[in-house]
């Protein structure tokens, strides 16, 4: 019922109100009370259980109970005073020659009885709530008072933390515009200075010379070009995605509150499932990508955003590195090995990306074959092989292997890799040679349109390596899904594998590392799932967007649900997808009331005759009614609800923070 009500309430298009101009002191001093995960904290009003319970009490029964208790209480007061005074007179306690003493005794009797009446009947009649809800507001409007002299608004020094930097801080108060990115970036830079005198001097020099532009991002951008589409609070690093609905299924602490994501939630990774056209990119992937880019400009995060070339994940001006294999105008390429220091690790990751799910049984032998090529090549040439050279060596090119052997001989490492060379020589030309399989898969990347986009070769572009996650970079990878779909799937697997490995291996984890993968259907494999589980303690997380879970092998679906801490279902998902969500979200107790009607057979002859006469005249049988109430377990969200009852523009999302706090599934309106 509440889902239908929500759909009706939001049937009309909602236009967001115009945003007021940014005012730094107002923004910096805005209240941000502590709140559960998922609540947008800026100007949030914490949930008050007492007020909520009072607001839920209907006015009619509340007023009727108050009046009845007032009448009974007045009667008890009058009779109680008379009774108590009579009792005192009978005991001779009121006989006194002093009028003052008699008056004092009478007053004490009245006060005692009145206090007892107020305590008993005031509590039963809930007079305090009636006073708060109706009488006090009326009195506040009717009683005129002389307002006190207004006090001066308290002055809050928003730059108090930076005052130890000296007179240079005055540059921030000179009238030059200071945005929220500047404010957060300068405070972030000041905290990294610590007690280092050299860093302290460098910071003060930058602040004195550049003012709000001090310690800027290497791109010199102080905000995203073209403005922002989402609503962000960089002070607590939140991005607001919508509003949690006021329905019974939502926890009371989240109803009518803004819904937001931040690194403490994204650190457990998020899986979103929904068919095309339900707003996964516009309502989730793009706002999160925008938030990570803003946090990168503030020196607090690094962002890797992967999606199709035509996916709306922000303009290229948002990013420092734009990689678009197949686009000759793209300025950067991709390092297929991720600059991994260990060649065996790089070879294994590249192999997993090359092989599709149906070739997974041959993965182990293929990894060994790739390592037998990549390791010797790096030892002989001092670099990883380019795509064409790697393909030729895997295919058994004799000239290439002869040159590699000569290089190893000159480097004095021939003996170290002699076993690998002999093994590859024995496997060349055999039907079960995994090298031939890998060479065929590499042929999909060794295309003229794609060749310049990968490391190696004289015409190669500057290559981005995933090992750069220790810097506040913003990276956009545009996959060629239309022109080279299989190559795009390989690259998505490679990027996810490189990210989870590089993020977990970082020595400096001060920056939050975030990956947004707009279509993760081909990227998820067993290795990636194990890597995602390790990100919780590495200050990193992923946002994986899928159209349906059916595109994944069945053996990966349950492990993927267990690896991520946040799960999001969009309208129109298939019932078999909804079943996984429903099972993951579990059950809760619901109070059910059953009404049973049975024919009335009680009484003697007269009553039975009366019932027969009534049946003959009215055609209805007299019945008795019995009401049974019990608590039963029901799914929080059933597969049918998720598949058919979610309103358009909404989603159901459950959250888990990196500290273990959990939020049950929330129905969220993503449109405002």
């Amino acid at each position: 019922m509440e889902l239908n009500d929500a759909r009706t309430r939001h049937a009309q298009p909602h236009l967001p109100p115009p945003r007021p101009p940014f005012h730094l002191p107002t923004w910096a001093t805005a209240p941000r009370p502590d709140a559960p995960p998922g609540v947008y904290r800026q100007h949030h009003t914490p949930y008050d259980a007492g007020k909520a319970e009072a607001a839920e009490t209907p006015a009619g029964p509340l007023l009727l109970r108050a009046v009845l208790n007032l009448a009974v209480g007045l009667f008890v007061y009058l009779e109680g005073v008379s009774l108590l005074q009579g009792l005192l007179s009978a005991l001779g306690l009121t006989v006194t020659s002093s009028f003052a003493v008699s008056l004092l005794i009478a007053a004490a009797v009245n006060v005692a009885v009145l206090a007892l009446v107020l305590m008993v009947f005031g509590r039963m009649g809930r007079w305090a709530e009636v006073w708060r809800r109706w009488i006090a507001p009326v009195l506040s409007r009717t009683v005129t008072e002389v307002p006190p002299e207004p006090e001066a608004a308290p002055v809050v020094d928003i730059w108090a933390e930076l005052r130890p930097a000296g007179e240079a801080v005055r540059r921030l108060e000179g009238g030059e515009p200071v945005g929220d990115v500047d404010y957060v970036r300068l405070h972030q830079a000041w905290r990294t200075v610590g007690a280092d005198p050299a860093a302290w001097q460098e910071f003060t020099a930058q602040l004195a010379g550049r003012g709000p532009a001090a310690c800027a991002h290497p791109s010199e951008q102080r905000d995203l070009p073209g403005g922002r589409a989402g609503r962000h609070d960089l002070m607590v690093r939140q991005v607001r995605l919508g509003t949690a609905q006021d329905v019974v299924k939502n926890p009371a602490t989240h109803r009518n509150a803004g819904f937001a994501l931040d690194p403490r939630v994204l650190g457990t990774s998020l899986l979103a499932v929904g068919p095309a056209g339900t707003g996964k990119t516009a309502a989730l992937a793009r706002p999160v990508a925008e938030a990570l880019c803003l946090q990168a400009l503030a020196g607090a995060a690094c962002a890797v955003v992967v999606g199709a070339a035509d996916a709306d994940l922000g303009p290229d001006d948002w990013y420092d590195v734009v990689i678009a294999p197949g686009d000759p105008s793209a300025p950067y390429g991709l390092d297929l090995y991720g600059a991994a220091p260990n060649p065996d690790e790089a070879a294994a990751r590249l192999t997993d990306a090359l092989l599709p799910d149906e070739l997974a049984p041959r993965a182990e032998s293929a990894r060994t074959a790739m390592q037998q090529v990549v390791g010797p090549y790096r030892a002989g040439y001092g670099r990883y092989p380019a795509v064409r050279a790697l393909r030729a060596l895997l295919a058994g090119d004799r000239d290439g292997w002869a040159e590699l052997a000569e290089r190893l001989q000159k480097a004095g490492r021939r003996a170290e890799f002699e076993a690998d060379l002999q093994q590859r020589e024995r496997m060349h030309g055999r039907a079960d040679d995994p090298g031939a399989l890998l060479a065929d898969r590499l042929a999909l990347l060794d295309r003229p349109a794609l060749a310049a986009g990968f490391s190696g070769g004289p015409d190669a572009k500057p290559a981005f390596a995933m090992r750069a996650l220790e810097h506040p970079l913003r990276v956009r990878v545009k996959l060629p899904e239309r022109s080279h779909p299989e190559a795009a799937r390989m690259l998505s697997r490679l990027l996810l594998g490189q990210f989870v490995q590089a993020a977990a291996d970082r020595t400096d984890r001060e920056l939050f590392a975030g990956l947004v993968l707009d279509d993760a259907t081909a990227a998820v494999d067993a290795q990636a799932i194990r890597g995602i589980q390790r990100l919780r303690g590495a200050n990193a997380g992923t946002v994986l967007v899928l159209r349906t879970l059916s595109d994944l092998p069945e053996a990966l679906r349950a492990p993927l649900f267990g690896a991520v801490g946040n799960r999001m279902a969009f309208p129109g998902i298939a019932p078999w997808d909804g079943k996984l969500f429903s099972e993951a979200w579990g059950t809760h107790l619901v109070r059910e009331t059953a009404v049973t009607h049975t024919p009335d057979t009680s009484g003697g002859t007269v009553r039975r005759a009366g019932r027969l006469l009534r049946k003959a005249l009215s055609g209805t049988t007299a019945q008795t009614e019995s009401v049974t109430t019990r608590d039963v377990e029901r799914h929080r969200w059933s597969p049918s609800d998720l598949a058919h009852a979610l309103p358009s523009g909404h989603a159901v999302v459950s959250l888990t923070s990196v500290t273990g706090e959990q939020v049950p599934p929330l129905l969220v309106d993503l449109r405002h």
Side-chain angles (χ1 to χ4, degrees), residues 347-356 363 367 490 493-494 525 527:
R349 190 180 307 128
L350 179 58
T351 302
D352 292 337
L354 292 176
L355 297 181
R367 290 191 198 100
M490 289 183 189
R493 283 196 295 271
L494 179 64
D525 56 19
Q527 297 292 336

Side-chain angles (χ1 to χ4, degrees), residues 92-118:
L93 299 178
T94 58
V95 179
T96 177
S97 58
S98 173
F99 175 76
V101 174
S102 300
L103 186 62
L104 184 60
I105 293 175
V109 169
N110 280 270
V111 169
V113 176
L114 181 61
L116 182 62
V117 168
L118 290 176

Side-chain angles (χ1 to χ4, degrees), residues 474-616:
R474 301 166 296 165
V475 182
R476 170 73 164 100
V477 182
K478 298 182 175 181
L479 299 177
E481 289 190 352
R482 293 183 181 273
S483 56
H484 302 84
E486 188 59 31
R489 287 190 279 271
M490 289 183 189
L491 294 175
S492 66
R493 283 196 295 271
L494 179 64
L495 288 165
L496 179 57
Q498 286 186 351
F499 177 86
V500 297
Q501 187 67 39
D505 291 346
R506 291 183 300 170
T507 56
D508 183 3
R509 297 178 176 179
E510 183 68 24
L511 299 179
F512 177 79
L515 170 70
V516 179
L517 191 50
D518 189 45
D519 185 2
T521 302
V524 178
D525 56 19
Q527 297 292 336
I529 291 175
R530 284 192 287 269
I532 290 173
Q533 292 174 326
R534 296 196 300 268
L535 296 181
R536 297 193 182 199
N539 195 24
T542 63
V543 176
L544 306 177
V545 179
L546 298 174
R547 292 187 178 91
T548 175
L549 293 167
S550 300
D551 292 338
L552 297 178
E554 188 172 357
L556 295 180
R557 298 172 193 172
L560 178 60
F561 262 73
V564 299
N566 312 295
R567 307 171 185 96
M568 195 169 186
F570 283 80
I573 64 173
W576 42 89
D577 289 346
K579 182 180 179 181
L580 285 173
F581 280 97
S582 182
E583 292 176 351
W585 287 333
T587 60
H588 64 149
L589 291 177
V590 177
R591 177 156 294 184
E592 285 189 351
T593 301
V595 180
T596 305
H597 294 87
T598 58
D600 187 2
T601 59
S602 62
T605 305
V606 176
R607 293 191 62 182
R608 288 197 294 270
R611 287 195 294 269
L612 290 174
L613 179 61
R614 173 185 172 183
K615 182 176 181 181

Side-chain angles (χ1 to χ4, degrees), residues 172-491:
L172 303 174
E173 302 171 330
E176 187 176 350
V178 182
D180 54 351
V181 174
D182 299 326
Y183 185 87
V184 175
R185 185 189 68 250
L186 291 174
H187 282 78
Q188 182 80 10
W190 175 251
R191 295 185 189 107
T192 60
V193 167
D196 187 355
W200 185 88
Q201 291 179 0
E202 182 181 356
F203 178 83
T204 54
Q206 283 244 0
L207 198 60
R210 306 189 63 188
C215 307
H217 187 267
S219 66
E220 294 296 331
Q221 292 182 0
R222 295 166 55 192
D223 204 344
L224 294 180
R228 311 175 187 180
R231 183 176 171 185
H232 305 268
D233 185 8
L234 290 178
M235 182 76 76
V236 290
R237 302 166 67 182
Q238 286 188 320
V239 53
R240 191 180 190 278
L241 300 183
T243 304
Q245 296 298 277
D246 186 9
V247 295
V248 176
K249 284 181 177 289
N250 283 353
T253 53
H254 288 71
R255 294 174 191 170
N256 288 326
F259 174 75
L261 297 177
D262 55 36
R264 68 168 175 164
V265 170
L266 293 176
T268 61
S269 296
L270 185 149
L271 172 66
V273 180
T278 53
K280 302 186 302 300
T281 301
L284 175 64
R286 180 183 168 114
V288 172
E290 185 178 71
L292 292 174
C293 289
L294 284 170
Q295 292 173 29
L297 292 180
C302 53
V304 180
V305 181
V306 182
D310 56 353
D312 184 14
L313 295 171
D316 291 351
D317 292 342
W318 281 11
Y319 301 96
D320 307 308
V321 176
V322 178
I323 305 168
D327 184 358
S329 64
Y332 290 92
L334 177 66
D335 187 342
L336 293 180
Y337 306 95
N342 187 331
D344 287 348
E345 173 190 318
R349 190 180 307 128
L350 179 58
T351 302
D352 292 337
L354 292 176
L355 297 181
D357 297 324
E358 55 269 21
L359 295 177
R362 302 189 62 182
E364 193 59 41
S365 61
R367 290 191 198 100
T368 302
M370 182 71 77
Q371 290 166 348
Q372 289 170 346
V373 174
V374 173
Y377 192 96
R378 190 167 188 265
Y381 289 87
R383 66 178 187 274
Y384 287 112
V387 173
R388 186 155 298 175
L390 179 61
R391 178 189 174 191
L393 290 173
L394 288 169
D397 179 62
R398 296 188 178 277
D399 294 338
W401 278 104
E403 183 179 348
L404 176 58
E406 183 180 349
R407 286 273 190 165
L408 289 172
Q409 187 69 35
K410 291 181 179 180
R413 304 186 65 178
R414 173 70 182 264
E416 179 181 351
F417 294 98
E418 186 64 33
D420 288 340
L421 299 180
Q422 293 178 358
Q423 175 67 16
R424 291 306 310 148
E425 185 177 0
R426 286 194 298 269
M427 294 298 296
H428 290 160
R430 292 178 51 174
D432 60 345
D433 180 13
L437 171 63
L438 292 174
D440 291 341
R441 299 295 295 173
L442 276 171
L444 298 171
L445 299 179
D446 188 20
R447 303 293 305 153
L450 303 177
F454 305 119
S455 58
D459 299 329
K461 302 175 182 178
F464 165 75
M466 199 65 76
R467 288 285 173 179
L469 292 180
E470 295 181 352
H471 306 283
L473 281 175
R474 301 166 296 165
V475 182
R476 170 73 164 100
V477 182
K478 298 182 175 181
L479 299 177
E481 289 190 352
R482 293 183 181 273
S483 56
H484 302 84
E486 188 59 31
R489 287 190 279 271
M490 289 183 189
L491 294 175

Side-chain angles (χ1 to χ4, degrees), residues 630-652:
R630 60 176 182 172
D631 292 335
V632 295
E633 283 194 357
R634 291 286 182 266
H635 282 289
R636 295 181 184 274
W637 284 86
S638 69
S640 178
D641 287 341
L642 293 173
H644 306 295
L646 281 187
S648 175
H650 292 63
V652 179

